[in-house]
Amino acid sequence: MLRKTLLTLFSLIALTLLAGIIALSMLDLNQHKQTIADQVLKATGLQLDIQGNIRPNFLPSLGLQIEKLQISDPKHPSTVDMGTLDKLLLKVAIGPLFSGQLQVEQLTIEGAKLNFYPQPDGQLNWHIHATPTQESSTAEQPTVASSTDDISNDSNNANDWSQQWLLQQFQMRNIEINWYEAMDQPIALALKIPELAAEQVSLQQPFEVVAFIEATTPDLKLSLNQSWKMDLAQQNIQSTNLNGQLDFQAAPDSPSKFSGTIQLKGFDQPNLQLSLTMDQLLLANSPTDSRSQKEQLEAVSQKSSTPSIEQPSADTEKATPIQLPKLPIQLTGHVELGKLIANGITVDNLSLDFSHQNDIWKIAPFSADFYQGQLLLTSKINNQQQPLQLALDAQLKQVAIGALLKDLQASSTEKTNNTQQKNSLENRFHLNGEIDLSAKINAKGTTDQALLASAIGNAALSMEQGILNGIDLQYQLCKGIAAVRKKPLDVQNSQQTDFKQLQLQLALADGQAHTQQMQFGIPGVELSGKGGFDLLQPMINLQLQAQLNRSSDAACDPGSNLSKIPLPITVSGKPDALAVALDQKTLNKALGNLALEKAKNKLSKEIGRWFKKH
């Protein structure tokens, strides 16, 4: 009998619960949209417009689905909504609630669009300004003791509750976030999240978040597939997988012009792989100056034409600091660049591989088309401690040296505001022809001048069929020969030297480049010698020996005597004011020795003839 009674009681309770659930499920929350909106307005000061349906669910879990939301600020009307939402879906497991646990089975947000912009009062539009109610303003204030107890209890309850929540599945789809610097301007930053997902989100254990993100500015577009491992308890976020692409271009008003793509890949951060592809990169002479190149040149012209109390010397070269950032990541990558123009120097079809680990950069191999020839190099930069250490192995193959020097001079002339120094640069000697150069150099320093001063290594230079503009060595030799032979000079100064070959072997140390092997062949003359180049001043000091011949291509006839001895020649001075002269003292000594040798030979012949007669 008791058993039958209990079964009947339980049946009635179950039917009652079922009837309540059915009644709740039949409740139409759409009829209460305005009530919900009013409560949101009171709590946040924001206007909520629910344009879609509200669908509650009570079995097998507590659920709520809201469609077509629109959020605005009634105090600051705008042509751009603060935000819209296509769909919000929330499901909460019923069972864990009875044991004090919040277990969210699913939270899905779809089609959310949030717009951020400054309001007329300067505040960001997304800030909460709750509307106080009359009840809350006139409510009795709690005592200090009861308030402290309530706060303590609420804090403990919150801590207990926060430790026992779990979000089993979280998804965001088609999310847009736009940032406006001002409402009358275009979007400054557009962030799109086509998809973001996470599972088993809690404070109890680490979890993984996977996302696809797109960010766009007027100059940049970033597409990123990224995953993170998050530990909320330890406040630790670690990137575990990265695969993305960054498309970029210079702003229309920028003095530099560039566009390109960066491919990003990373596994087990801090390892990162980077691939950069660019069509063209144009860097202005002054990267820190936002003015156009034309404006910069006009400003330079005005400065140079205005008298000043103190002008820097033409010899003064400002040292450029060299400082590389410290990077806490391991980086490997590849760069492809169609055209690079930096300070007037052009490099085409640049390709290089690089790596970075423990503040050591390695570039190998590096190749580029360079002024009708090739530029090849490998480099290692040690940035672990100051001063920075550089190891360089470089080659130039069949490079048109005339065009390169012309661009170097034009760039240096544009950057200087000193009239005297500008004229000096314009008068420097130039080479025309194809040059081959190889160099192995080690250096250290924190400025470009320090690197030059500490450079140690060697270099070899070779040219065939070239032209040295600005000086006529044949004329200078003929001038000296005419003076020695006391004959009139019948050669015109062409202000250039055509040469058949130029070969140099250089040793670099202490800011100097020394040569013990120099060969310089010009028509009718073979020059050889030694000397040095001061890289810091710069200065040239060469001691040459000119072996003259009486060939048909010689500019002048050296005569029988001068063709038999090497003429001592000194070349010294700055590149824009070289002095070429015969070493008269050494020449007179050589001529004296030659005359003495002739006298001996003549005497020997006379003695020989005398003995024959007698």
Side-chain angles (χ1 to χ4, degrees):
M1 185 68 179
L2 179 60
R3 181 181 178 183
K4 186 176 181 180
T5 302
L6 291 175
L7 288 174
T8 302
L9 181 59
F10 288 147
S11 298
L12 290 174
I13 294 175
L15 288 173
T16 303
L17 290 174
L18 180 59
I21 291 174
I22 293 174
L24 289 173
S25 63
M26 295 178 64
L27 180 64
D28 187 6
L29 294 180
N30 292 299
Q31 298 179 1
H32 303 280
K33 289 180 180 180
Q34 189 58 49
T35 302
I36 297 173
D38 292 342
Q39 294 300 318
V40 171
L41 180 63
K42 290 180 180 180
T44 65
L46 301 179
Q47 182 68 51
L48 179 64
D49 183 9
I50 305 175
Q51 301 173 352
N53 294 321
I54 305 176
R55 296 191 178 95
N57 185 48
F58 298 95
L59 284 177
S61 57
L62 297 177
L64 181 65
Q65 178 175 314
I66 305 177
E67 299 174 346
K68 300 298 182 182
L69 295 179
Q70 183 175 332
I71 303 173
S72 59
D73 188 351
K75 290 187 176 181
H76 301 92
S78 172
T79 57
V80 178
D81 293 328
M82 291 180 60
T84 58
L85 177 66
D86 289 342
K87 181 179 178 181
L88 173 66
L89 177 61
L90 176 67
K91 292 183 179 180
V92 179
I94 297 176
L97 292 174
F98 292 103
S99 58
Q101 295 182 352
L102 175 61
Q103 184 170 315
V104 180
E105 295 178 345
Q106 180 180 356
L107 175 57
T108 301
I109 301 174
E110 293 186 6
K113 184 175 182 179
L114 304 178
N115 295 312
F116 292 85
Y117 49 85
Q119 294 175 331
D121 58 4
Q123 285 187 312
L124 192 65
N125 60 325
W126 277 95
H127 68 279
I128 306 301
H129 44 83
T131 304
T133 62
Q134 185 176 1
E135 295 177 0
S136 61
S137 61
T138 58
E140 182 180 353
Q141 298 294 327
T143 62
V144 174
S146 63
S147 176
T148 303
D149 292 341
D150 290 342
I151 294 173
S152 177
N153 292 334
D154 291 344
S155 177
N156 292 333
N157 291 336
N159 290 334
D160 293 341
W161 184 258
S162 66
Q163 296 294 329
Q164 300 185 54
W165 64 267
L166 174 66
L167 176 55
Q168 291 181 323
Q169 186 181 46
F170 175 61
Q171 289 182 321
M172 296 176 66
R173 300 192 190 99
N174 300 323
I175 310 301
E176 294 185 26
I177 301 174
N178 299 319
W179 169 260
Y180 297 81
E181 293 183 353
M183 287 309 303
D184 58 348
Q185 296 182 5
I187 297 175
L189 173 63
L191 181 64
K192 294 183 179 180
I193 306 177
E195 186 172 0
L196 184 147
E199 295 182 352
Q200 305 300 319
V201 179
S202 73
L203 289 176
Q204 301 298 317
Q205 60 185 7
F207 58 93
E208 188 175 42
V209 178
V210 180
F212 178 58
I213 300 174
E214 295 179 349
T216 304
T217 72
D219 310 320
L220 300 174
K221 181 179 180 181
L222 173 65
S223 301
L224 199 64
N225 276 315
Q226 177 86 49
S227 63
W228 298 270
K229 187 175 183 180
M230 296 187 177
D231 189 339
L232 298 182
Q234 300 296 325
Q235 297 183 352
N236 182 34
I237 301 177
Q238 181 180 1
S239 178
T240 57
N241 191 5
L242 170 65
N243 188 354
Q245 175 173 313
L246 174 63
D247 298 315
F248 57 90
Q249 64 180 11
D253 57 349
S254 171
S256 300
K257 303 300 179 186
F258 56 84
S259 62
T261 299
I262 295 178
Q263 298 284 344
L264 296 168
K265 289 186 179 180
F267 303 93
D268 300 325
Q269 290 289 329
N271 295 321
L272 184 63
Q273 298 177 6
L274 182 148
S275 177
L276 169 63
T277 303
M278 297 179 65
D279 297 326
Q280 177 174 311
L281 174 60
L282 168 61
L283 298 178
N285 284 339
S286 178
T288 58
D289 196 334
S290 61
R291 297 170 296 174
S292 67
Q293 294 189 46
K294 181 179 179 181
E295 291 173 334
Q296 294 177 33
L297 292 176
E298 289 176 351
V300 168
S301 176
Q302 292 174 1
K303 288 181 180 179
S304 62
S305 61
T306 303
S308 60
I309 297 176
E310 181 179 355
Q311 290 283 359
S313 170
D315 300 337
T316 304
E317 295 285 348
K318 291 185 178 180
T320 303
I322 299 175
Q323 186 173 4
L324 297 179
K326 299 281 187 178
L327 297 180
I329 62 173
Q330 298 177 15
L331 182 64
T332 58
H334 179 75
V335 176
E336 294 283 348
L337 178 55
K339 182 182 289 291
L340 169 64
I341 304 176
N343 291 334
I345 306 304
T346 302
V347 179
D348 296 301
N349 301 322
L350 183 151
S351 175
L352 68 89
D353 293 330
F354 67 90
S355 65
H356 171 271
Q357 185 174 359
N358 299 328
D359 289 316
I360 296 178
W361 289 89
K362 293 181 180 179
I363 300 176
F366 175 107
S367 65
D369 295 338
F370 192 61
Y371 288 89
Q372 303 176 28
Q374 276 191 310
L375 169 61
L376 307 172
L377 66 82
T378 61
S379 177
K380 179 180 178 181
I381 304 173
N382 190 335
N383 193 39
Q384 289 181 329
Q385 58 185 9
Q386 294 297 321
L388 176 144
Q389 298 179 23
L390 170 67
L392 181 67
D393 187 345
Q395 292 184 53
L396 295 178
K397 293 185 177 181
Q398 297 181 333
V399 171
I401 187 65
L404 173 59
L405 291 176
K406 182 179 180 180
D407 286 349
L408 282 171
Q409 173 192 294
S411 174
S412 300
T413 304
E414 288 178 6
K415 287 189 290 186
T416 183
N417 61 352
N418 184 298
T419 304
Q420 181 181 356
Q421 186 175 1
K422 184 180 295 187
N423 293 333
S424 173
L425 291 170
E426 291 174 348
N427 293 329
R428 287 189 176 180
F429 293 104
H430 296 295
L431 287 170
N432 280 315
E434 293 184 350
I435 185 172
D436 290 329
L437 173 68
S438 62
K440 292 185 178 181
I441 301 171
N442 290 282
K444 60 182 179 180
T446 56
T447 66
D448 56 348
Q449 294 290 298
L451 286 175
L452 277 177
S454 66
I456 298 176
N458 54 74
L461 180 148
S462 175
M463 286 187 67
E464 303 286 343
Q465 303 298 329
I467 299 174
L468 177 62
N469 294 314
I471 185 171
D472 188 343
L473 289 176
Q474 288 179 307
Y475 171 80
Q476 297 293 337
L477 286 170
C478 291
K479 183 178 179 181
I481 291 171
V484 171
R485 299 184 66 189
K486 298 180 180 180
K487 291 187 175 183
L489 178 65
D490 57 357
V491 178
Q492 298 295 322
N493 188 349
S494 66
Q495 296 296 325
Q496 75 174 43
T497 301
D498 297 331
F499 59 89
K500 297 180 291 184
Q501 66 173 0
L502 170 62
Q503 293 183 344
L504 276 175
Q505 298 288 334
L506 296 169
L508 280 70
D510 302 324
Q512 306 286 325
H514 297 279
T515 178
Q516 298 293 332
Q517 299 181 22
M518 178 179 178
Q519 300 292 330
F520 192 40
I522 61 178
V525 185
E526 292 295 332
L527 287 167
S528 62
K530 60 183 180 179
F533 304 85
D534 190 326
L535 303 178
L536 300 176
Q537 292 300 326
M539 293 284 289
I540 296 176
N541 185 12
L542 298 174
Q543 297 84 44
L544 305 178
Q545 299 287 330
Q547 186 65 54
L548 308 179
N549 59 62
R550 307 181 76 176
S551 61
S552 59
D553 58 353
C556 57
D557 184 7
S560 59
N561 288 339
L562 292 180
S563 63
K564 295 178 180 179
I565 62 173
L567 298 184
I569 299 173
T570 60
V571 180
S572 60
K574 297 182 179 297
D576 56 340
L578 280 179
V580 181
L582 284 172
D583 187 342
Q584 196 68 43
K585 182 178 180 181
T586 304
L587 177 60
N588 290 337
K589 184 177 180 180
L591 289 173
N593 291 334
L594 179 62
L596 180 60
E597 188 65 26
K598 282 186 175 182
K600 288 180 179 179
N601 291 335
K602 184 177 181 181
L603 179 60
S604 178
K605 289 179 180 180
E606 291 293 334
I607 294 174
R609 283 195 295 268
W610 184 86
F611 277 108
K612 285 181 180 180
K613 291 180 179 180
H614 299 83

